[in-house]
Each structure stands twice: as structure tokens, then as C-alpha cells.
């Protein structure tokens, strides 16, 4: 994704709709310019590696359309028809984007690279190709640096390293942005190296091999992102360590004596559903119990990571969770 700050920082839930649209428009304009330049360079040079990069840019642009929509969908508040919010729908749109990366990017890159392995046609305009790749690399490196800083900030809030946060976060959009930025940098480097080897050796096999490598990388990344979105659509519970931490925080509440059942599942990017059975302290009539449970639920949902909390009363024979 070419403009990380525009897509991830500025598409937050607190952003006004007009600001979101402007951010999306600017980001898409920048991506389109890069894609057009790569396409022009592919036509001028005849390089299959450059063509693979052009296809990568166009596929990324289409995937970003799905991801931008996923951001906007995920930011919609819960309503009567969707009491858990719209977070899971964002995984569907992100899944479409990942499928595009796998199907179109991998297919074109690998197939055209195989054809280029046996090509004898000369390639011209290397200087223009290098210029386009250098400009694209500069833009992409800036975007990737912003992504890394943002992920590091988010990781610190969870007490994790940057890699650990990326591997475990329920924000599959953030994961896709960072991985796609890294993939783009690798693709540009491979395209530049392939063109250079082709130019200095006169052998088109290097160009074809570069296209195959780019297509293969896109296929691997696409499959990985598809699988991650599939998992969160099916339902992913909290990791054991985090689950234990949340249960312990429940028991620290003065109103709660025991927690006898606990379930938590991701329902969207950095949003979880919590369901628990608890025994309350003191003696209360039915109306007081109901009010106290609702009060505790609202207090839990003040945490920005909790999308919904549902509490019920424990039976006397139920045992306390460790």
C-alpha cells in the first residue's frame, strides 16, 4: 500500500467521512501514477520483470480498493441489526484483496516469466526502467518506514515485539499493509537486479527468472493473507496468556468474587467479544443483580479493545477458573 499513513492512520474511527474520502483519493492517485509509470516502462523496455511489477501495482491498487472499504466497514458502530459491529465483514473485503494478489499477481508474473525464459528479443530503454524503479522504491520505502513505526507503537501497548504483534494481531488489514509494503520493496529490488543482469549479460533468462520470483512471492503472500482472514472469519479465541491476564483482571474487581466460565473471541480488527459467568460479592436481590451485571458490562466495554461484553451469574456448584 503506497501511502500507509493515509490508509491506516487516517482511516481510524475518529476520522470524519470527508477526510477519509480525501485520504483515499490521494492514496489512489499516487498508486495509479506509479502503476502507469511501471506499465509504460514495461512497454518501453519489454522486460518481463518490469511487467510483473506493473501487474503487481495494478493488483495492489485493486486490492487496496477492497482494503479501504474494509477499513470503512470496520469503523461503523454497532447497531440493532449488528450488535457485535461490522468488524468481521472487514475480513471478507480483506479476503477479496488477498485473493486478487494470489490469483492475478502470481499467475501473470509466473506465466510471463516462463515465456521470457526462452525469449530472444532485445530489451531497450533500461535507463528509463531504472528511473521508474528508483522512484517507486523511494515512495515505497517511505511508506514502509511509516508502517514500521506505527506497528512498533502498537506493539509497545501490547508488551510485544514488532514481529510478535504482526503475527498475533487481529488487525489483518494492518498485517496486509506491512507485508504488501515489504513485498513491494522486494519486488522492486528483484526487478532492478533482473534487468541489470539482462542488460550486462544479454541473457533474457535473468529477466524471466525475476518475473517468476516476483509472481511466486505474490502467490505466497496472497495465500498467507487468505488463510489469516479465513481464520478470523471462522473465529479466533484469545491466546492463552492474554486470556489468563483478562480473567485475572476480572477477579481484581471488588464486585466479583469468582469467575467460573470465560470465553473471548475476536470479532473484528482489535475488537473482542467477552462472555463470562461470575459470582458477585455481597447479597443482592434480583433487580440489584441485573443492574450490577449491566454496570460491569459497560465498565468492561470502556476498554477500546472490547466490542461487546456479556456477563451472567455462576451456579454455586461451579468451580473457580485459575
Amino acid at each position: 500500500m503506497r501511502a500507509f499513513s493515509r490508509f491506516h492512520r487516517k482511516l481510524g474511527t475518529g476520522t470524519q467521512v470527508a477526510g477519509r474520502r480525501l485520504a483515499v483519493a490521494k492514496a489512489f492517485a499516487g498508486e495509479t501514477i506509479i502503476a502507469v509509470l511501471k506499465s509504460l516502462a514495461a512497454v518501453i523496455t519489454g522486460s518481463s520483470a518490469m511487467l510483473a511489477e506493473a501487474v503487481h501495482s495494478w493488483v495492489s491498487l485493486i486490492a487496496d480498493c477492497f482494503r479501504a472499504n474494509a477499513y470503512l466497514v470496520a469503523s461503523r458502530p454497532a447497531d440493532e441489526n449488528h450488535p457485535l459491529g461490522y468488524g468481521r465483514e472487514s475480513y471478507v473485503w480483506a479476503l477479496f484483496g488477498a485473493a486478487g494478489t494470489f490469483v492475478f499477481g502470481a499467475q501473470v508474473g509466473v506465466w510471463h516469466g516462463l515465456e521470457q525464459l526462452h525469449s530472444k528479443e532485445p530489451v531497450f530503454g533500461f535507463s528509463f526502467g531504472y528511473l521508474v524503479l528508483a522512484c517507486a522504491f523511494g515512495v515505497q520505502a517511505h511508506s514502509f518506514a511509516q508502517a514500521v513505526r506505527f506497528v512498533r507503537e502498537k506493539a509497545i501497548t501490547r508488551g510485544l515485539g514488532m514481529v510478535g504483534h504482526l503475527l498475533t494481531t487481529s488487525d489483518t488489514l494492518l498485517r496486509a499493509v506491512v507485508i504488501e509494503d515489504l513485498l513491494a520493496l522486494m519486488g522492486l529490488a528483484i526487478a532492478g537486479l533482473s534487468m541489470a543482469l539482462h542488460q550486462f549479460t544479454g541473457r533474457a533468462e535473468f529477466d524471466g527468472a525475476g518475473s517468476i520470483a516476483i509472481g511466486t512471492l505474490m502467490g505466497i503472500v496472497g495465500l498467507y493473507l487468505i488463510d489469516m482472514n479465513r481464520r478470523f472469519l471462522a473465529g479466533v479465541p484469545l491466546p492463552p496468556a492474554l486470556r489468563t491476564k483478562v480473567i485475572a483482571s476480572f477477579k481484581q474487581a471488588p464486585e466479583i468474587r469468582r469467575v467460573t466460565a470465560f470465553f473471548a473471541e475476536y470479532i473484528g480488527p482489535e475488537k473482542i467479544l467477552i462472555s463470562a459467568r461470575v459470582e458477585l460479592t455481597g447479597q443482592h436481590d434480583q433487580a440489584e443483580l441485573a443492574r450490577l451485571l449491566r454496570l460491569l458490562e459497560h465498565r468492561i466495554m470502556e476498554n477500546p479493545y472490547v466490542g461487546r461484553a456479556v456477563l451472567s451469574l455462576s451456579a454455586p456448584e461451579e468451580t473457580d477458573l485459575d
Side-chain angles (χ1 to χ4, degrees), residues 164-185:
H165 176 67
L166 278 177
L167 292 177
T168 59
T169 180
S170 61
D171 190 347
T172 60
L173 299 170
L174 173 61
R175 184 185 291 107
V177 167
V178 176
I179 293 178
E180 286 279 6
D181 275 355
L182 179 60
L183 172 63
L185 288 173

Side-chain angles (χ1 to χ4, degrees), residues 26-110:
K26 288 181 178 179
F28 281 146
E31 288 196 59
T32 302
I33 291 173
I34 294 294
V36 169
L37 288 174
K38 286 183 180 179
S39 300
L40 183 60
V43 172
I44 293 175
T45 63
S47 166
S48 61
M50 179 61 79
L51 177 61
E53 266 304 296
V55 171
H56 183 189
S57 287
W58 289 113
V59 170
S60 179
L61 181 61
I62 295 172
D64 286 347
C65 292
F66 290 114
R67 291 180 189 131
N69 188 65
Y71 274 103
L72 299 178
V73 167
S75 67
R76 295 169 63 183
D79 54 35
E80 185 176 340
N81 295 324
H82 297 83
L84 299 182
Y86 293 81
R88 278 206 171 108
E89 186 177 341
S90 70
Y91 295 137
V92 177
W93 292 106
L95 181 64
F96 290 158
T101 299
F102 170 71
V103 175
F104 297 106
Q107 180 179 353
V108 174
V110 173

